[in-house]
Amino acid sequence: MEKIPVYFMPGLAASTSIFERIELPEDQFEIHLLEWLIPEKKESLTDYAQRLAEQIKHENPVLVGVSFGGILVQEMAKIMTVRKLLIISSVKTCLEFPRRMKVAKTTKAYKLLPTGLVQNIESLAKYAFGNTVTQRLKLYERYLSVRDKTYLDWAIETIILWDRIDVDPNVIHIHGDADEIFPIKYIKDAIVVKGGTHIMILNKFKWLNENLPKIILNE
């Protein structure tokens, strides 16, 4: 039996090590990890998605994106045929953004973010994972490997300005009911994981390992 290729895309500034606890049955699936690229000057999300899609070496893959990676795989799915499209701890449209992100868009407050201070891992962790991680910062520090200012400026602006309002009907959305970056009250039509925070890829891996195969294979 030919194995199903499953490509995982991490969240904002995160490295592929966030998927280290994810295990899928090896006789059925083949895991591939996608890495962030440094964006080109004023690169559009569409162009960036196109460049990233070039790293995919299989036809009809499964794409799984976490957080900002979830936004990205939805953009990739516009330009390629995918077998399944899964997003975890993410949003399907900008209408699912919390109020503070909508305010940031109108006021352009995101332009004031001190992304040059990326050595300040604490601020970056709050952005990427939510406030709850700061007590266990050392544990999470190694998961945030992309600290390039060009990338961070681009990524934060790209997320805030994402203007998709039509839901891709093929998206399967998995979301925690304790997600502090994208609160569940703004999210529609998701498979809800009880107690799942924005970093449930790390601490709800047992649920994911048990359920992802069924979700992918459920034609």
Side-chain angles (χ1 to χ4, degrees), residues 102-124:
K102 292 174 180 165
V103 168
K105 181 177 183 172
T106 339
T107 59
K108 295 207 172 359
Y110 62 89
K111 288 193 178 293
L112 306 174
L113 290 172
T115 49
L117 307 176
V118 287
Q119 282 62 32
N120 179 353
I121 189 76
E122 196 164 324
S123 309
L124 184 55

PDB file of all heavy atoms in Angstrom, residues 102-124:
ATOM      1  N   LYS A 102      -8.370  42.673  15.102  1.00  0.00           N
ATOM      2  CA  LYS A 102      -9.104  43.549  14.170  1.00  0.00           C
ATOM      3  C   LYS A 102      -8.761  45.010  14.458  1.00  0.00           C
ATOM      4  O   LYS A 102      -8.602  45.817  13.541  1.00  0.00           O
ATOM      5  CB  LYS A 102     -10.614  43.306  14.292  1.00  0.00           C
ATOM      6  CG  LYS A 102     -11.016  41.921  13.785  1.00  0.00           C
ATOM      7  CD  LYS A 102     -12.480  41.631  14.042  1.00  0.00           C
ATOM      8  CE  LYS A 102     -12.855  40.250  13.527  1.00  0.00           C
ATOM      9  NZ  LYS A 102     -14.148  39.781  14.042  1.00  0.00           N
ATOM     10  N   VAL A 103      -8.627  45.327  15.751  1.00  0.00           N
ATOM     11  CA  VAL A 103      -8.254  46.698  16.148  1.00  0.00           C
ATOM     12  C   VAL A 103      -6.846  47.014  15.643  1.00  0.00           C
ATOM     13  O   VAL A 103      -6.585  48.092  15.099  1.00  0.00           O
ATOM     14  CB  VAL A 103      -8.326  46.859  17.697  1.00  0.00           C
ATOM     15  CG1 VAL A 103      -7.681  48.158  18.151  1.00  0.00           C
ATOM     16  CG2 VAL A 103      -9.787  46.807  18.154  1.00  0.00           C
ATOM     17  N   ALA A 104      -5.946  46.041  15.780  1.00  0.00           N
ATOM     18  CA  ALA A 104      -4.560  46.239  15.336  1.00  0.00           C
ATOM     19  C   ALA A 104      -4.517  46.540  13.841  1.00  0.00           C
ATOM     20  O   ALA A 104      -3.704  47.336  13.371  1.00  0.00           O
ATOM     21  CB  ALA A 104      -3.730  44.993  15.643  1.00  0.00           C
ATOM     22  N   LYS A 105      -5.425  45.918  13.099  1.00  0.00           N
ATOM     23  CA  LYS A 105      -5.461  46.141  11.645  1.00  0.00           C
ATOM     24  C   LYS A 105      -5.893  47.575  11.339  1.00  0.00           C
ATOM     25  O   LYS A 105      -5.277  48.267  10.537  1.00  0.00           O
ATOM     26  CB  LYS A 105      -6.438  45.149  11.001  1.00  0.00           C
ATOM     27  CG  LYS A 105      -6.531  45.282   9.496  1.00  0.00           C
ATOM     28  CD  LYS A 105      -7.447  44.223   8.915  1.00  0.00           C
ATOM     29  CE  LYS A 105      -7.485  44.308   7.399  1.00  0.00           C
ATOM     30  NZ  LYS A 105      -8.208  43.173   6.826  1.00  0.00           N
ATOM     31  N   THR A 106      -6.945  48.026  12.013  1.00  0.00           N
ATOM     32  CA  THR A 106      -7.466  49.370  11.754  1.00  0.00           C
ATOM     33  C   THR A 106      -6.484  50.439  12.196  1.00  0.00           C
ATOM     34  O   THR A 106      -6.271  51.441  11.511  1.00  0.00           O
ATOM     35  CB  THR A 106      -8.802  49.596  12.525  1.00  0.00           C
ATOM     36  OG1 THR A 106      -9.366  48.325  12.849  1.00  0.00           O
ATOM     37  CG2 THR A 106      -9.802  50.330  11.682  1.00  0.00           C
ATOM     38  N   THR A 107      -5.870  50.240  13.353  1.00  0.00           N
ATOM     39  CA  THR A 107      -4.999  51.289  13.907  1.00  0.00           C
ATOM     40  C   THR A 107      -3.556  51.157  13.411  1.00  0.00           C
ATOM     41  O   THR A 107      -2.723  52.010  13.689  1.00  0.00           O
ATOM     42  CB  THR A 107      -4.970  51.189  15.443  1.00  0.00           C
ATOM     43  OG1 THR A 107      -4.488  49.878  15.779  1.00  0.00           O
ATOM     44  CG2 THR A 107      -6.330  51.390  16.044  1.00  0.00           C
ATOM     45  N   LYS A 108      -3.284  50.066  12.714  1.00  0.00           N
ATOM     46  CA  LYS A 108      -1.907  49.741  12.277  1.00  0.00           C
ATOM     47  C   LYS A 108      -0.947  49.642  13.472  1.00  0.00           C
ATOM     48  O   LYS A 108       0.254  49.896  13.356  1.00  0.00           O
ATOM     49  CB  LYS A 108      -1.392  50.767  11.259  1.00  0.00           C
ATOM     50  CG  LYS A 108      -2.182  50.753   9.946  1.00  0.00           C
ATOM     51  CD  LYS A 108      -1.315  51.215   8.818  1.00  0.00           C
ATOM     52  CE  LYS A 108      -1.874  51.098   7.418  1.00  0.00           C
ATOM     53  NZ  LYS A 108      -3.165  50.555   7.201  1.00  0.00           N
ATOM     54  N   ALA A 109      -1.484  49.274  14.626  1.00  0.00           N
ATOM     55  CA  ALA A 109      -0.662  49.189  15.844  1.00  0.00           C
ATOM     56  C   ALA A 109       0.436  48.144  15.694  1.00  0.00           C
ATOM     57  O   ALA A 109       1.483  48.237  16.331  1.00  0.00           O
ATOM     58  CB  ALA A 109      -1.551  48.839  17.035  1.00  0.00           C
ATOM     59  N   TYR A 110       0.209  47.146  14.839  1.00  0.00           N
ATOM     60  CA  TYR A 110       1.213  46.085  14.664  1.00  0.00           C
ATOM     61  C   TYR A 110       2.540  46.639  14.162  1.00  0.00           C
ATOM     62  O   TYR A 110       3.593  46.053  14.377  1.00  0.00           O
ATOM     63  CB  TYR A 110       0.693  45.005  13.703  1.00  0.00           C
ATOM     64  CG  TYR A 110       0.402  45.516  12.318  1.00  0.00           C
ATOM     65  CD1 TYR A 110       1.398  45.528  11.336  1.00  0.00           C
ATOM     66  CD2 TYR A 110      -0.849  46.012  11.977  1.00  0.00           C
ATOM     67  CE1 TYR A 110       1.138  46.023  10.071  1.00  0.00           C
ATOM     68  CE2 TYR A 110      -1.117  46.502  10.711  1.00  0.00           C
ATOM     69  CZ  TYR A 110      -0.112  46.510   9.755  1.00  0.00           C
ATOM     70  OH  TYR A 110      -0.357  46.994   8.507  1.00  0.00           O
ATOM     71  N   LYS A 111       2.506  47.804  13.518  1.00  0.00           N
ATOM     72  CA  LYS A 111       3.750  48.396  13.003  1.00  0.00           C
ATOM     73  C   LYS A 111       4.649  48.883  14.142  1.00  0.00           C
ATOM     74  O   LYS A 111       5.821  49.154  13.946  1.00  0.00           O
ATOM     75  CB  LYS A 111       3.437  49.560  12.066  1.00  0.00           C
ATOM     76  CG  LYS A 111       2.871  49.106  10.722  1.00  0.00           C
ATOM     77  CD  LYS A 111       2.872  50.235   9.727  1.00  0.00           C
ATOM     78  CE  LYS A 111       2.364  49.837   8.365  1.00  0.00           C
ATOM     79  NZ  LYS A 111       3.218  48.896   7.642  1.00  0.00           N
ATOM     80  N   LEU A 112       4.082  49.006  15.341  1.00  0.00           N
ATOM     81  CA  LEU A 112       4.857  49.497  16.486  1.00  0.00           C
ATOM     82  C   LEU A 112       5.539  48.354  17.240  1.00  0.00           C
ATOM     83  O   LEU A 112       6.252  48.584  18.206  1.00  0.00           O
ATOM     84  CB  LEU A 112       3.936  50.255  17.459  1.00  0.00           C
ATOM     85  CG  LEU A 112       3.109  51.383  16.837  1.00  0.00           C
ATOM     86  CD1 LEU A 112       2.144  51.955  17.859  1.00  0.00           C
ATOM     87  CD2 LEU A 112       4.030  52.482  16.323  1.00  0.00           C
ATOM     88  N   LEU A 113       5.267  47.147  16.818  1.00  0.00           N
ATOM     89  CA  LEU A 113       5.848  46.014  17.560  1.00  0.00           C
ATOM     90  C   LEU A 113       7.366  46.019  17.439  1.00  0.00           C
ATOM     91  O   LEU A 113       7.901  46.139  16.343  1.00  0.00           O
ATOM     92  CB  LEU A 113       5.324  44.691  16.996  1.00  0.00           C
ATOM     93  CG  LEU A 113       3.857  44.416  17.288  1.00  0.00           C
ATOM     94  CD1 LEU A 113       3.409  43.200  16.518  1.00  0.00           C
ATOM     95  CD2 LEU A 113       3.645  44.198  18.773  1.00  0.00           C
ATOM     96  N   PRO A 114       8.059  45.853  18.558  1.00  0.00           N
ATOM     97  CA  PRO A 114       9.523  45.899  18.504  1.00  0.00           C
ATOM     98  C   PRO A 114      10.112  44.566  18.058  1.00  0.00           C
ATOM     99  O   PRO A 114      10.768  43.867  18.814  1.00  0.00           O
ATOM    100  CB  PRO A 114       9.900  46.219  19.955  1.00  0.00           C
ATOM    101  CG  PRO A 114       8.793  45.604  20.756  1.00  0.00           C
ATOM    102  CD  PRO A 114       7.555  45.644  19.912  1.00  0.00           C
ATOM    103  N   THR A 115       9.876  44.211  16.786  1.00  0.00           N
ATOM    104  CA  THR A 115      10.358  42.897  16.344  1.00  0.00           C
ATOM    105  C   THR A 115      11.881  42.837  16.292  1.00  0.00           C
ATOM    106  O   THR A 115      12.457  41.767  16.197  1.00  0.00           O
ATOM    107  CB  THR A 115       9.802  42.533  14.956  1.00  0.00           C
ATOM    108  OG1 THR A 115      10.026  43.658  14.095  1.00  0.00           O
ATOM    109  CG2 THR A 115       8.321  42.223  15.012  1.00  0.00           C
ATOM    110  N   GLY A 116      12.521  44.011  16.340  1.00  0.00           N
ATOM    111  CA  GLY A 116      13.990  44.006  16.383  1.00  0.00           C
ATOM    112  C   GLY A 116      14.489  43.403  17.687  1.00  0.00           C
ATOM    113  O   GLY A 116      15.623  42.944  17.792  1.00  0.00           O
ATOM    114  N   LEU A 117      13.617  43.385  18.683  1.00  0.00           N
ATOM    115  CA  LEU A 117      14.008  42.842  19.991  1.00  0.00           C
ATOM    116  C   LEU A 117      13.718  41.339  20.056  1.00  0.00           C
ATOM    117  O   LEU A 117      13.243  40.838  21.066  1.00  0.00           O
ATOM    118  CB  LEU A 117      13.235  43.536  21.114  1.00  0.00           C
ATOM    119  CG  LEU A 117      13.279  45.058  21.130  1.00  0.00           C
ATOM    120  CD1 LEU A 117      12.399  45.592  22.244  1.00  0.00           C
ATOM    121  CD2 LEU A 117      14.712  45.539  21.345  1.00  0.00           C
ATOM    122  N   VAL A 118      13.985  40.640  18.962  1.00  0.00           N
ATOM    123  CA  VAL A 118      13.622  39.220  18.962  1.00  0.00           C
ATOM    124  C   VAL A 118      14.486  38.402  19.913  1.00  0.00           C
ATOM    125  O   VAL A 118      14.158  37.274  20.208  1.00  0.00           O
ATOM    126  CB  VAL A 118      13.674  38.609  17.550  1.00  0.00           C
ATOM    127  CG1 VAL A 118      12.509  39.105  16.741  1.00  0.00           C
ATOM    128  CG2 VAL A 118      14.984  38.927  16.866  1.00  0.00           C
ATOM    129  N   GLN A 119      15.567  39.023  20.384  1.00  0.00           N
ATOM    130  CA  GLN A 119      16.337  38.321  21.411  1.00  0.00           C
ATOM    131  C   GLN A 119      15.462  38.200  22.665  1.00  0.00           C
ATOM    132  O   GLN A 119      15.663  37.341  23.500  1.00  0.00           O
ATOM    133  CB  GLN A 119      17.626  39.084  21.762  1.00  0.00           C
ATOM    134  CG  GLN A 119      18.750  38.912  20.746  1.00  0.00           C
ATOM    135  CD  GLN A 119      18.387  39.449  19.380  1.00  0.00           C
ATOM    136  OE1 GLN A 119      17.647  40.414  19.253  1.00  0.00           O
ATOM    137  NE2 GLN A 119      18.902  38.830  18.335  1.00  0.00           N
ATOM    138  N   ASN A 120      14.479  39.098  22.766  1.00  0.00           N
ATOM    139  CA  ASN A 120      13.556  39.025  23.887  1.00  0.00           C
ATOM    140  C   ASN A 120      12.565  37.903  23.622  1.00  0.00           C
ATOM    141  O   ASN A 120      11.473  38.102  23.111  1.00  0.00           O
ATOM    142  CB  ASN A 120      12.838  40.373  24.049  1.00  0.00           C
ATOM    143  CG  ASN A 120      11.854  40.337  25.198  1.00  0.00           C
ATOM    144  OD1 ASN A 120      11.615  39.277  25.792  1.00  0.00           O
ATOM    145  ND2 ASN A 120      11.267  41.462  25.500  1.00  0.00           N
ATOM    146  N   ILE A 121      12.994  36.730  23.951  1.00  0.00           N
ATOM    147  CA  ILE A 121      12.241  35.524  23.649  1.00  0.00           C
ATOM    148  C   ILE A 121      10.876  35.512  24.344  1.00  0.00           C
ATOM    149  O   ILE A 121       9.912  34.939  23.868  1.00  0.00           O
ATOM    150  CB  ILE A 121      13.079  34.260  24.007  1.00  0.00           C
ATOM    151  CG1 ILE A 121      12.414  32.989  23.495  1.00  0.00           C
ATOM    152  CG2 ILE A 121      13.383  34.175  25.472  1.00  0.00           C
ATOM    153  CD1 ILE A 121      12.558  32.783  22.028  1.00  0.00           C
ATOM    154  N   GLU A 122      10.798  36.241  25.454  1.00  0.00           N
ATOM    155  CA  GLU A 122       9.536  36.261  26.209  1.00  0.00           C
ATOM    156  C   GLU A 122       8.411  36.905  25.395  1.00  0.00           C
ATOM    157  O   GLU A 122       7.312  36.375  25.300  1.00  0.00           O
ATOM    158  CB  GLU A 122       9.747  37.034  27.513  1.00  0.00           C
ATOM    159  CG  GLU A 122       8.648  36.786  28.514  1.00  0.00           C
ATOM    160  CD  GLU A 122       9.065  37.228  29.920  1.00  0.00           C
ATOM    161  OE1 GLU A 122      10.247  37.081  30.283  1.00  0.00           O
ATOM    162  OE2 GLU A 122       8.184  37.714  30.622  1.00  0.00           O
ATOM    163  N   SER A 123       8.723  38.051  24.753  1.00  0.00           N
ATOM    164  CA  SER A 123       7.705  38.722  23.930  1.00  0.00           C
ATOM    165  C   SER A 123       7.318  37.838  22.758  1.00  0.00           C
ATOM    166  O   SER A 123       6.151  37.711  22.408  1.00  0.00           O
ATOM    167  CB  SER A 123       8.248  40.033  23.364  1.00  0.00           C
ATOM    168  OG  SER A 123       8.785  40.789  24.395  1.00  0.00           O
ATOM    169  N   LEU A 124       8.321  37.229  22.154  1.00  0.00           N
ATOM    170  CA  LEU A 124       8.058  36.372  21.003  1.00  0.00           C
ATOM    171  C   LEU A 124       7.191  35.184  21.413  1.00  0.00           C
ATOM    172  O   LEU A 124       6.243  34.812  20.713  1.00  0.00           O
ATOM    173  CB  LEU A 124       9.390  35.893  20.407  1.00  0.00           C
ATOM    174  CG  LEU A 124       9.311  35.055  19.126  1.00  0.00           C
ATOM    175  CD1 LEU A 124       8.531  35.782  18.036  1.00  0.00           C
ATOM    176  CD2 LEU A 124      10.708  34.721  18.624  1.00  0.00           C
TER     177      LEU A 124
END
